[in-house]
Structure formats: structure tokens, C-alpha cells
Amino acid sequence: MFDSESTTSPSALDQETLRSLEKQTAPEIVRERGSVRIEHKLKVVVRSGNSSALLAFKIQGLTADLSRGGCRLLLPLPLGVGDIYRLDFDDSAHKLPQLFARCVRCRLLREDAFEAGMQFFTPVDLPASLQPQGKDLLD
């Protein structure tokens, strides 16, 4: 049924997997990121991305970190992975715009706490007040 030349033996696959895992160190993962993450707690209100469902629900939470491409949210309720949401950041000091984002992951931290990974649809220029030690996020 299977052509022995086109299949990979389990031992060869295991070795390749192990080599790949060995390369996945914390510094290497950070180096592969598309943008710098800034750890900052901002209040955020999450609503449906669809105008017709805008008033259907409203979840208040906090950001755990932000980057040009997305953010990590801490929320009391889970979000639907793959769904689109409207994010309103409640912090006048940093003047972040209303953003639309897709939930790319959501995990249970405890019964009343969830962590959601959000991916923005367009890169966002974060205010200088959020940049760590005055560094440019485009470096």
C-alpha cells in the first residue's frame, strides 16, 4: 500500500522532531517574533466585531501585553477562537484607537479567569508612552 521510499520511518521523524524542539529556546522564540511585546496593564472592553451584535455582550478585562500585531487579554469569560472582536482600550494616557482583532487562542487559567490571544487586522503604531525605555518598536 505504501511506497517505502516516500514514507519516513518513525525513528527518523523522532530525531527530526527532537532537533526542532532543541532549537526552540526562549531567546530564539523572541527573536522570531514579528514585533516586540510590551507588558502593560490597560483596561479593555471587548464587544462583538459585528455591528448587528454590538450590544449582545460586553466583557471587561485587562491587557497582559501589547504589540504592533496583537495583544494578550486577561478576561473573566472565554472568547470564541476564530471570532472577530472590537477592542476599546480604556486608558486616556495612551490614546489607543478602537481596534478589530481575531481571537487566535483562549485558555482557562482558573474557573473565573481566561487568557485570550488577539491578532489585530492591521499593525498598530503604539504610542511612545507604551514603548519600553523609549525604544522604537520597529527596531
Side-chain angles (χ1 to χ4, degrees):
M1 286 186 166
F2 294 104
D3 180 9
S4 62
E5 292 179 19
S6 64
T7 60
T8 305
S9 70
S11 62
L13 185 59
D14 291 342
Q15 292 299 320
E16 183 180 330
T17 302
L18 285 174
R19 279 193 299 276
S20 173
L21 287 172
E22 287 172 348
K23 292 178 184 176
Q24 295 181 15
T25 62
E28 185 63 30
I29 291 169
V30 169
R31 202 171 12 261
E32 291 294 319
R33 290 193 188 278
S35 54
V36 175
R37 291 186 181 208
I38 301 168
E39 291 185 21
H40 198 81
K41 301 265 189 268
L42 296 175
K43 291 180 184 178
V44 64
V45 175
V46 180
R47 293 187 172 99
S48 171
N50 296 325
S51 296
S52 60
L54 185 59
L55 301 176
F57 73 94
K58 174 175 149 179
I59 301 172
Q60 295 180 340
L62 292 172
T63 61
D65 64 41
L66 294 142
S67 74
R68 289 179 43 93
C71 62
R72 189 167 42 109
L73 303 178
L74 302 173
L75 303 164
L77 297 169
L79 297 182
V81 174
D83 289 353
I84 309 298
Y85 295 95
R86 182 182 308 216
L87 307 178
D88 289 301
F89 298 93
D90 183 22
D91 189 57
S92 58
H94 300 296
K95 307 272 191 241
L96 285 167
Q98 180 182 76
L99 297 168
F100 287 87
R102 178 183 304 275
C103 179
V104 294
R105 72 176 181 289
C106 188
R107 70 180 182 128
L108 174 73
L109 298 175
R110 57 178 194 270
E111 289 304 315
D112 62 344
F114 296 84
E115 178 186 76
M118 308 298 288
Q119 182 178 29
F120 302 145
F121 284 98
T122 57
V124 175
D125 290 326
L126 296 176
S129 57
L130 285 174
Q131 294 182 17
Q133 302 161 355
K135 292 182 180 178
D136 186 2
L137 292 177
L138 298 176
D139 286 347

